[in-house]
Amino acid sequence: MTVASKIADFIWNVNYADIPNNVKDLAKRALVDYVAATSIGANASGAEIIKRYVAEKPQNDECKTIRVNGYFTMEDAALMNGYCL
């Protein structure tokens, strides 16, 4: 069994009640941090440059981004999700 398979098996079989409260609290903080960071990044001046750059390139139906409608290449979706969103 691969490491990825072991992780997937653990996630599939874990019960919410089995997760320690401190882990739940850390997950909530991480989610709030993610939302705050993506909100700031989406409004950064560089975000518009990247969105225009990606809009000018041919795209396909590989990947979806978080806050931009449409599907993009894997590389462009990662760029936008990582910087803009």
Side-chain angles (χ1 to χ4, degrees), residues 65-78:
T65 61
I66 297 169
R67 295 170 111 184
V68 177
N69 289 331
Y71 289 84
F72 306 91
T73 64
M74 181 176 21
E75 293 84 4
D76 289 341

Side-chain angles (χ1 to χ4, degrees), residues 7-55:
I7 292 170
D9 187 55
F10 171 79
I11 291 169
W12 185 259
N13 292 305
V14 72
N15 291 315
Y16 185 77
D18 296 335
I19 301 171
N21 286 334
N22 66 324
V23 174
K24 292 176 191 174
D25 291 340
L26 286 171
K28 290 175 189 175
R29 267 193 214 172
L31 182 59
V32 169
D33 183 55
Y34 167 77
V35 170
T38 57
S39 295
I40 291 168
N43 296 316
S45 60
E48 288 306 315
I49 295 169
I50 291 173
K51 289 175 189 175
R52 283 195 311 267
Y53 165 74
V54 169

